[in-house]
């Protein structure tokens, strides 16, 4: 049995002060949790649940933890993967919602293990403001593990935010940001790609992978670099395999391998026609 955490805009009102419950954000019926959103019109994403382990309302969203029959995610997973690397000297993580961090530590200790790393500095606050206040050229890499571009996360998909990211990166620095589903959001992806090509003067790539617990079963990423030393996202310098020492402290990789990495950059024809060339 696995546990899964779900986060969604608060039902009482959305980011514009409107009644979100009337828009059909989600519903719970005996044995099932269904999420409905204008982000994926005409379909709903449902999970069979055995038990609600936690339910709470933070300032920003509803937070629920289910015991379910599918493998889910939990905040802290990206942090765990970054902390595999001994070459990483310092990790700053900015999360707007402290409840998500606390709930993840309680219910997902294997994912939240990265918070225990002494190199980690946790900042509770708005990621947009955090980057605006970062000195120019601070970071080698920025990872944006955001929710969909509605509510608090909307700014994370807009050009001014990408400009803040580029300013905070060193020459040749890289960013990976959540970039929606090719099956549902090509109009959003097209805008993201356009903004990134205007802002980032190094390499700009779109990649995607399968995630069964996401609507449509896939999710995409923008991988970009600033002007400076060449970055080849499709051919990483360090290739992880099952025998790698990096896997021992945080557990073996269950999905990712070099072949999966290469395949992530292969786009279906309809996406190629909209996005164009996958590299700059």
């Amino acid at each position: 049995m696995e546990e899964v955490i779900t986060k969604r805009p608060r039902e009482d009102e959305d980011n514009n002060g409107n009644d979100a419950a009337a828009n059909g954000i989600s519903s719970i019926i005996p044995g099932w949790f269904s999420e409905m959103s204008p982000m994926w019109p005409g379909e709903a994403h449902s999970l069979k649940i055995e038990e609600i382990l936690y339910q709470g309302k933070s300032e920003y969203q509803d937070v629920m933890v289910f015991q379910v029959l599918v493998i889910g995610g939990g905040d802290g997973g990206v942090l765990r993967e970054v902390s595999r690397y001994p070459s990483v000297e310092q990790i700053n993580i900015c999360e707007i919602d402290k409840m998500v961090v606390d709930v993840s530590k309680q219910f997902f200790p294997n994912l939240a293990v990265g918070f225990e790393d002494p190199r980690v500095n946790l900042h509770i606050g708005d990621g947009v403001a955090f980057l605006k206040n970062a000195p120019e050229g601070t970071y080698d890499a920025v990872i944006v593990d955001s929710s969909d571009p509605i509510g608090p996360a909307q700014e994370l998909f807009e050009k001014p935010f990408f400009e803040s990211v580029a300013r905070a990166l060193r020459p040749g620095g890289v960013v990976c940001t959540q970039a929606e589903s090719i099956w549902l959001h090509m109009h959003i992806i097209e805008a993201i790609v356009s903004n990134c090509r205007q802002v980032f003067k190094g390499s700009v790539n779109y990649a995607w992978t399968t995630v069964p617990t996401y609507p449509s079963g896939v999710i995409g990423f923008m991988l970009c670099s600033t002007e400076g030393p060449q970055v080849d996202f499709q051919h990483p310098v360090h290739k992880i395999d099952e025998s790698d020492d990096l896997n021992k402290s945080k557990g073996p990789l269950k999905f990712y391998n070099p072949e999966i990495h290469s395949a992530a950059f292969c786009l279906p024809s309809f996406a190629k026609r909209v996005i164009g060339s996958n590299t700059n």
Side-chain angles (χ1 to χ4, degrees):
M1 309 301 291
E2 301 288 342
E3 295 170 354
V4 62
I5 187 172
T6 180
K7 300 176 293 178
R8 50 199 169 87
R10 289 195 54 166
E11 286 191 346
D12 47 2
E13 60 180 32
D14 62 20
N15 197 46
N16 298 316
N18 300 316
D19 182 5
N23 294 328
I25 295 297
S26 66
S27 65
I28 300 176
I29 62 174
W32 289 89
F33 169 81
S34 295
E35 187 172 9
M36 292 155 280
S37 170
M39 289 291 295
W40 45 90
E43 63 179 280
H45 184 64
S46 299
L47 298 173
K48 186 176 182 180
I49 61 175
E50 290 196 347
E51 182 182 358
I52 299 176
L53 302 178
Y54 178 86
Q55 184 171 3
K57 288 181 180 288
S58 75
E59 181 181 354
Y60 303 99
Q61 58 201 335
D62 295 332
V63 179
M64 303 181 74
V65 178
F66 304 129
Q67 186 161 327
V68 301
L69 296 173
V70 300
I71 296 175
D75 286 76
V78 170
L79 182 59
R80 179 187 67 182
E81 298 309 307
V82 172
S83 65
R84 288 180 186 271
Y85 298 89
S87 60
V88 176
E89 298 177 359
Q90 185 176 359
I91 307 169
N92 287 325
I93 179 168
C94 185
E95 165 61 51
I96 195 170
D97 198 338
K98 185 176 184 297
M99 180 183 287
V100 172
V101 176
D102 294 338
V103 169
S104 297
K105 288 179 178 180
Q106 179 180 354
F107 291 98
F108 306 98
N110 291 335
L111 282 176
V113 63
F115 287 108
E116 301 173 7
D117 194 294
R119 297 168 294 174
V120 171
N121 299 307
L122 173 62
H123 306 268
I124 301 297
D126 181 2
V128 175
F130 183 85
L131 266 183
K132 284 181 180 178
N133 294 325
E136 184 175 353
T138 299
Y139 297 109
D140 295 306
V142 173
I143 300 173
V144 185
D145 183 16
S146 71
S147 53
D148 293 319
I150 53 176
Q154 183 172 341
E155 286 186 274
L156 303 180
F157 290 79
E158 297 172 348
K159 187 176 179 180
F161 176 72
F162 293 134
E163 291 172 338
S164 294
V165 172
R167 187 187 62 83
L169 287 170
R170 295 169 181 159
V174 300
V175 57
C176 176
T177 183
Q178 195 267 98
E180 296 301 327
S181 167
I182 57 174
W183 298 113
L184 299 173
H185 308 123
M186 283 307 304
H187 61 294
I188 297 176
I189 294 170
E190 186 176 15
I192 295 172
V193 171
S194 176
N195 285 332
C196 286
R197 284 182 174 152
Q198 294 176 50
V199 172
F200 296 98
K201 303 307 180 182
S203 181
V204 175
N205 289 238
Y206 182 87
W208 60 295
T209 191
T210 59
V211 182
T213 52
Y214 285 178
S216 85
V218 304
I219 198 67
F221 315 92
M222 285 305 303
L223 296 158
C224 308
S225 64
T226 56
E227 187 174 14
Q230 172 104 18
V231 176
D232 185 353
F233 288 109
Q234 298 187 41
H235 301 91
V237 174
H238 186 94
K239 296 182 179 180
I240 297 179
D241 59 42
E242 288 299 318
S243 63
D244 201 307
D245 288 341
L246 298 179
N247 294 319
K248 294 179 180 177
S249 61
K250 299 296 191 299
L253 298 173
K254 297 180 180 180
F255 180 80
Y256 178 82
N257 58 44
E259 293 79 17
I260 288 289
H261 182 93
S262 296
F265 296 89
C266 295
L267 300 178
S269 296
F270 72 87
K272 278 186 179 181
R273 286 192 286 268
V274 174
I275 298 174
S277 174
N278 202 28
T279 59
N280 272 1

